[in-house]
PDB file of all heavy atoms in Angstrom:
ATOM      1  N   SER M  25      21.632  24.659  93.545  1.00  0.00           N
ATOM      2  CA  SER M  25      22.698  23.932  94.231  1.00  0.00           C
ATOM      3  C   SER M  25      23.887  23.710  93.302  1.00  0.00           C
ATOM      4  O   SER M  25      23.697  23.425  92.112  1.00  0.00           O
ATOM      5  CB  SER M  25      22.205  22.559  94.708  1.00  0.00           C
ATOM      6  OG  SER M  25      21.068  22.677  95.527  1.00  0.00           O
ATOM      7  N   ALA M  26      25.073  23.825  93.859  1.00  0.00           N
ATOM      8  CA  ALA M  26      26.263  23.348  93.161  1.00  0.00           C
ATOM      9  C   ALA M  26      26.265  21.824  93.292  1.00  0.00           C
ATOM     10  O   ALA M  26      26.397  21.293  94.392  1.00  0.00           O
ATOM     11  CB  ALA M  26      27.521  23.955  93.777  1.00  0.00           C
ATOM     12  N   GLU M  27      26.067  21.128  92.177  1.00  0.00           N
ATOM     13  CA  GLU M  27      25.885  19.675  92.225  1.00  0.00           C
ATOM     14  C   GLU M  27      27.177  18.933  91.865  1.00  0.00           C
ATOM     15  O   GLU M  27      27.599  17.999  92.554  1.00  0.00           O
ATOM     16  CB  GLU M  27      24.773  19.282  91.247  1.00  0.00           C
ATOM     17  CG  GLU M  27      23.448  19.951  91.585  1.00  0.00           C
ATOM     18  CD  GLU M  27      22.460  19.961  90.431  1.00  0.00           C
ATOM     19  OE1 GLU M  27      22.829  19.523  89.314  1.00  0.00           O
ATOM     20  OE2 GLU M  27      21.323  20.424  90.616  1.00  0.00           O
ATOM     21  N   THR M  28      27.766  19.327  90.758  1.00  0.00           N
ATOM     22  CA  THR M  28      29.040  18.751  90.319  1.00  0.00           C
ATOM     23  C   THR M  28      29.926  19.887  89.827  1.00  0.00           C
ATOM     24  O   THR M  28      29.448  20.998  89.545  1.00  0.00           O
ATOM     25  CB  THR M  28      28.836  17.753  89.154  1.00  0.00           C
ATOM     26  OG1 THR M  28      28.378  18.487  87.991  1.00  0.00           O
ATOM     27  CG2 THR M  28      27.823  16.675  89.512  1.00  0.00           C
ATOM     28  N   ARG M  29      31.194  19.600  89.713  1.00  0.00           N
ATOM     29  CA  ARG M  29      32.119  20.624  89.192  1.00  0.00           C
ATOM     30  C   ARG M  29      31.715  21.033  87.785  1.00  0.00           C
ATOM     31  O   ARG M  29      31.695  22.217  87.445  1.00  0.00           O
ATOM     32  CB  ARG M  29      33.544  20.074  89.210  1.00  0.00           C
ATOM     33  CG  ARG M  29      34.581  21.018  88.624  1.00  0.00           C
ATOM     34  CD  ARG M  29      35.984  20.431  88.720  1.00  0.00           C
ATOM     35  NE  ARG M  29      36.976  21.303  88.096  1.00  0.00           N
ATOM     36  CZ  ARG M  29      37.284  21.279  86.796  1.00  0.00           C
ATOM     37  NH1 ARG M  29      36.662  20.428  85.981  1.00  0.00           N
ATOM     38  NH2 ARG M  29      38.182  22.109  86.299  1.00  0.00           N
ATOM     39  N   GLU M  30      31.389  20.053  86.947  1.00  0.00           N
ATOM     40  CA  GLU M  30      31.058  20.335  85.550  1.00  0.00           C
ATOM     41  C   GLU M  30      29.796  21.185  85.454  1.00  0.00           C
ATOM     42  O   GLU M  30      29.752  22.162  84.691  1.00  0.00           O
ATOM     43  CB  GLU M  30      30.861  19.025  84.780  1.00  0.00           C
ATOM     44  CG  GLU M  30      32.130  18.197  84.601  1.00  0.00           C
ATOM     45  CD  GLU M  30      32.605  17.521  85.892  1.00  0.00           C
ATOM     46  OE1 GLU M  30      31.778  17.371  86.844  1.00  0.00           O
ATOM     47  OE2 GLU M  30      33.798  17.168  85.974  1.00  0.00           O
ATOM     48  N   GLN M  31      28.771  20.819  86.210  1.00  0.00           N
ATOM     49  CA  GLN M  31      27.518  21.581  86.171  1.00  0.00           C
ATOM     50  C   GLN M  31      27.726  23.012  86.663  1.00  0.00           C
ATOM     51  O   GLN M  31      27.204  23.975  86.090  1.00  0.00           O
ATOM     52  CB  GLN M  31      26.465  20.874  87.031  1.00  0.00           C
ATOM     53  CG  GLN M  31      25.232  21.690  87.357  1.00  0.00           C
ATOM     54  CD  GLN M  31      25.246  22.206  88.802  1.00  0.00           C
ATOM     55  OE1 GLN M  31      26.179  21.966  89.573  1.00  0.00           O
ATOM     56  NE2 GLN M  31      24.205  22.926  89.161  1.00  0.00           N
ATOM     57  N   THR M  32      28.512  23.176  87.723  1.00  0.00           N
ATOM     58  CA  THR M  32      28.758  24.514  88.280  1.00  0.00           C
ATOM     59  C   THR M  32      29.506  25.391  87.283  1.00  0.00           C
ATOM     60  O   THR M  32      29.105  26.535  87.010  1.00  0.00           O
ATOM     61  CB  THR M  32      29.557  24.396  89.591  1.00  0.00           C
ATOM     62  OG1 THR M  32      28.841  23.568  90.521  1.00  0.00           O
ATOM     63  CG2 THR M  32      29.788  25.763  90.208  1.00  0.00           C
ATOM     64  N   LEU M  33      30.589  24.859  86.717  1.00  0.00           N
ATOM     65  CA  LEU M  33      31.397  25.656  85.799  1.00  0.00           C
ATOM     66  C   LEU M  33      30.673  25.914  84.484  1.00  0.00           C
ATOM     67  O   LEU M  33      30.780  27.010  83.908  1.00  0.00           O
ATOM     68  CB  LEU M  33      32.740  24.961  85.545  1.00  0.00           C
ATOM     69  CG  LEU M  33      33.678  24.911  86.756  1.00  0.00           C
ATOM     70  CD1 LEU M  33      34.908  24.064  86.450  1.00  0.00           C
ATOM     71  CD2 LEU M  33      34.097  26.308  87.159  1.00  0.00           C
ATOM     72  N   ASP M  34      29.938  24.934  83.986  1.00  0.00           N
ATOM     73  CA  ASP M  34      29.202  25.111  82.734  1.00  0.00           C
ATOM     74  C   ASP M  34      28.177  26.225  82.877  1.00  0.00           C
ATOM     75  O   ASP M  34      28.066  27.130  82.029  1.00  0.00           O
ATOM     76  CB  ASP M  34      28.531  23.799  82.339  1.00  0.00           C
ATOM     77  CG  ASP M  34      27.871  23.868  80.970  1.00  0.00           C
ATOM     78  OD1 ASP M  34      28.113  24.843  80.231  1.00  0.00           O
ATOM     79  OD2 ASP M  34      27.104  22.941  80.627  1.00  0.00           O
ATOM     80  N   THR M  35      27.407  26.184  83.969  1.00  0.00           N
ATOM     81  CA  THR M  35      26.410  27.220  84.204  1.00  0.00           C
ATOM     82  C   THR M  35      27.072  28.594  84.345  1.00  0.00           C
ATOM     83  O   THR M  35      26.608  29.582  83.770  1.00  0.00           O
ATOM     84  CB  THR M  35      25.592  26.910  85.467  1.00  0.00           C
ATOM     85  OG1 THR M  35      25.017  25.603  85.364  1.00  0.00           O
ATOM     86  CG2 THR M  35      24.480  27.923  85.667  1.00  0.00           C
ATOM     87  N   ALA M  36      28.162  28.646  85.096  1.00  0.00           N
ATOM     88  CA  ALA M  36      28.849  29.920  85.321  1.00  0.00           C
ATOM     89  C   ALA M  36      29.380  30.508  84.024  1.00  0.00           C
ATOM     90  O   ALA M  36      29.254  31.713  83.775  1.00  0.00           O
ATOM     91  CB  ALA M  36      29.977  29.726  86.331  1.00  0.00           C
ATOM     92  N   ARG M  37      29.975  29.675  83.191  1.00  0.00           N
ATOM     93  CA  ARG M  37      30.533  30.183  81.925  1.00  0.00           C
ATOM     94  C   ARG M  37      29.436  30.781  81.056  1.00  0.00           C
ATOM     95  O   ARG M  37      29.611  31.844  80.441  1.00  0.00           O
ATOM     96  CB  ARG M  37      31.257  29.054  81.182  1.00  0.00           C
ATOM     97  CG  ARG M  37      32.537  28.570  81.851  1.00  0.00           C
ATOM     98  CD  ARG M  37      33.294  27.620  80.924  1.00  0.00           C
ATOM     99  NE  ARG M  37      34.331  26.880  81.637  1.00  0.00           N
ATOM    100  CZ  ARG M  37      34.226  25.604  81.986  1.00  0.00           C
ATOM    101  NH1 ARG M  37      33.129  24.911  81.675  1.00  0.00           N
ATOM    102  NH2 ARG M  37      35.203  24.998  82.630  1.00  0.00           N
ATOM    103  N   GLN M  38      28.294  30.084  80.967  1.00  0.00           N
ATOM    104  CA  GLN M  38      27.192  30.592  80.152  1.00  0.00           C
ATOM    105  C   GLN M  38      26.665  31.918  80.706  1.00  0.00           C
ATOM    106  O   GLN M  38      26.422  32.867  79.949  1.00  0.00           O
ATOM    107  CB  GLN M  38      26.059  29.567  80.096  1.00  0.00           C
ATOM    108  CG  GLN M  38      26.397  28.309  79.316  1.00  0.00           C
ATOM    109  CD  GLN M  38      25.183  27.405  79.188  1.00  0.00           C
ATOM    110  OE1 GLN M  38      24.109  27.836  78.775  1.00  0.00           O
ATOM    111  NE2 GLN M  38      25.347  26.136  79.556  1.00  0.00           N
ATOM    112  N   LEU M  39      26.497  31.989  82.006  1.00  0.00           N
ATOM    113  CA  LEU M  39      26.003  33.230  82.608  1.00  0.00           C
ATOM    114  C   LEU M  39      26.987  34.370  82.398  1.00  0.00           C
ATOM    115  O   LEU M  39      26.594  35.506  82.103  1.00  0.00           O
ATOM    116  CB  LEU M  39      25.737  33.012  84.098  1.00  0.00           C
ATOM    117  CG  LEU M  39      24.537  32.121  84.442  1.00  0.00           C
ATOM    118  CD1 LEU M  39      24.529  31.784  85.927  1.00  0.00           C
ATOM    119  CD2 LEU M  39      23.224  32.791  84.052  1.00  0.00           C
ATOM    120  N   ALA M  40      28.274  34.073  82.549  1.00  0.00           N
ATOM    121  CA  ALA M  40      29.291  35.102  82.327  1.00  0.00           C
ATOM    122  C   ALA M  40      29.261  35.605  80.888  1.00  0.00           C
ATOM    123  O   ALA M  40      29.389  36.809  80.627  1.00  0.00           O
ATOM    124  CB  ALA M  40      30.673  34.553  82.672  1.00  0.00           C
ATOM    125  N   ASP M  41      29.061  34.702  79.945  1.00  0.00           N
ATOM    126  CA  ASP M  41      28.985  35.102  78.531  1.00  0.00           C
ATOM    127  C   ASP M  41      27.805  36.034  78.285  1.00  0.00           C
ATOM    128  O   ASP M  41      27.850  36.882  77.380  1.00  0.00           O
ATOM    129  CB  ASP M  41      28.859  33.867  77.640  1.00  0.00           C
ATOM    130  CG  ASP M  41      30.162  33.073  77.551  1.00  0.00           C
ATOM    131  OD1 ASP M  41      31.224  33.635  77.904  1.00  0.00           O
ATOM    132  OD2 ASP M  41      30.113  31.893  77.150  1.00  0.00           O
ATOM    133  N   TYR M  42      26.736  35.895  79.090  1.00  0.00           N
ATOM    134  CA  TYR M  42      25.572  36.757  78.939  1.00  0.00           C
ATOM    135  C   TYR M  42      25.665  38.025  79.781  1.00  0.00           C
ATOM    136  O   TYR M  42      24.709  38.803  79.850  1.00  0.00           O
ATOM    137  CB  TYR M  42      24.299  35.988  79.305  1.00  0.00           C
ATOM    138  CG  TYR M  42      23.888  34.972  78.266  1.00  0.00           C
ATOM    139  CD1 TYR M  42      23.698  33.631  78.613  1.00  0.00           C
ATOM    140  CD2 TYR M  42      23.669  35.339  76.934  1.00  0.00           C
ATOM    141  CE1 TYR M  42      23.305  32.690  77.663  1.00  0.00           C
ATOM    142  CE2 TYR M  42      23.286  34.405  75.985  1.00  0.00           C
ATOM    143  CZ  TYR M  42      23.106  33.084  76.345  1.00  0.00           C
ATOM    144  OH  TYR M  42      22.721  32.160  75.402  1.00  0.00           O
ATOM    145  N   GLY M  43      26.787  38.209  80.468  1.00  0.00           N
ATOM    146  CA  GLY M  43      27.007  39.462  81.178  1.00  0.00           C
ATOM    147  C   GLY M  43      26.649  39.469  82.647  1.00  0.00           C
ATOM    148  O   GLY M  43      26.713  40.517  83.293  1.00  0.00           O
TER     149      GLY M  43
END
Side-chain angles (χ1 to χ4, degrees):
S25 304
E27 300 161 355
T28 67
R29 177 178 177 274
E30 292 72 20
Q31 166 256 0
T32 303
L33 292 173
D34 186 12
T35 305
R37 291 189 194 104
Q38 291 186 51
L39 290 170
D41 288 343
Y42 287 125

